[in-house]
Amino acid sequence: MAMTQIIWQLVYRPEYLEPLRREAEDAVSQFGFTSKMIEHLHLQDSFIEESNRLYSINKLSNQRMVMDEPFTFHDGLTLPAGTRIAFPVDQFLRDPDMFESLSGSECPDVFDGFRLLRLKEADRRTEDGVNMWKATHAHQRNLVFGYGNHICPGRFFAVRLIKIILTKPFIEYDLRSDWPGHGIPPGLQMEGSVVPHMSARISFRKRQGLRPDEEHN
């Protein structure tokens, strides 16, 4: 579902396709489809995180249920057994007070596909050897994969796989949609999760004029 949301961003924001395509072509020509290639997809990393931030497949994160007995917080608030709680991750990631726009973008509620790359270049702090603004790094401004001890351990595999899958259509295909409405088709929300529109279609058309050595099986 995350992949579908990312591709919809490309269909309706075609200005991003050419720089992403050039980056993919350069990385593949230098390193082939290898781990080294993935490490050089900096624009793509930023685009993936921005898409996940504003169009996450989860509106709620860290969902929990109070089990056998009431739970009392340090401030005295008590939740009875059976209570379900969660973090409103969508609101956190759009909150100007939570997301400091160090990149110069006026509003974190506006899609800026390369916002996180500028933040990465401006702020080179790391945690556990990982730059704070990489798509796989969880912090208070990137709650897509959860947070704390129960963060998703598969986030590294997920982001790497998305990059591998996206790189081929970036290089070899043009994208278009038959959706007649304005903007990205609305998804279906269920229990805090968002399912992309079930009937809108995206077409992949082979780019004209590709040399045989530019096609990657």
Side-chain angles (χ1 to χ4, degrees), residues 71-158:
F71 180 86
T72 301
F73 290 92
H74 65 86
D75 62 355
L77 174 65
T78 298
L79 302 178
T83 302
R84 297 175 63 189
I85 60 174
F87 297 133
V89 62
D90 191 53
Q91 282 71 32
F92 286 159
L93 298 181
R94 293 170 179 264
D95 184 352
D97 293 332
M98 179 62 70
F99 195 99
E100 299 172 359
S101 188
L102 302 178
S103 63
S105 297
E106 293 182 358
C107 178
D109 198 43
V110 175
F111 187 93
D112 180 349
F114 300 149
R115 177 201 307 270
L116 282 306
L117 177 62
R118 292 194 296 275
L119 289 174
K120 180 181 176 182
E121 293 173 344
D123 183 0
R124 298 188 177 276
R125 287 178 296 166
T126 62
E127 291 182 0
D128 299 326
V130 178
N131 184 276
M132 290 185 59
W133 303 105
K134 286 183 68 66
T136 54
H137 185 65
H139 50 83
Q140 291 180 337
R141 301 175 183 86
N142 183 16
L143 300 173
V144 174
F145 295 106
Y147 197 61
N149 293 334
H150 299 286
I151 187 174
C152 174
R155 65 192 185 279
F156 302 100
F157 174 77

Side-chain angles (χ1 to χ4, degrees), residues 163-197:
K163 290 180 179 180
I164 292 172
I165 295 173
L166 284 176
T167 296
K168 185 176 178 67
F170 281 165
I171 296 175
E172 297 186 20
Y173 294 89
D174 289 320
L175 310 176
R176 64 178 60 183
S177 171
D178 64 354
W179 175 247
H182 177 72
I184 297 172
L188 175 65
Q189 296 194 30
M190 299 183 299
E191 292 285 323
S193 297
V194 181
V195 179
H197 199 283

Side-chain angles (χ1 to χ4, degrees), residues 34-93:
T34 64
S35 294
K36 199 73 172 176
M37 178 272 288
I38 296 174
E39 293 172 5
H40 281 72
L41 298 175
H42 304 298
L43 294 178
Q44 201 174 129
D45 191 85
S46 176
F47 192 90
I48 290 170
E49 182 171 352
E50 183 74 351
S51 178
N52 285 339
R53 186 179 71 84
L54 288 177
Y55 299 93
S56 172
I57 61 173
N58 294 309
K59 298 296 184 182
L60 301 174
S61 181
N62 293 66
Q63 299 187 50
R64 298 291 185 269
M65 176 180 287
V66 180
M67 299 303 290
D68 299 329
E69 57 186 47
F71 180 86
T72 301
F73 290 92
H74 65 86
D75 62 355
L77 174 65
T78 298
L79 302 178
T83 302
R84 297 175 63 189
I85 60 174
F87 297 133
V89 62
D90 191 53
Q91 282 71 32
F92 286 159
L93 298 181

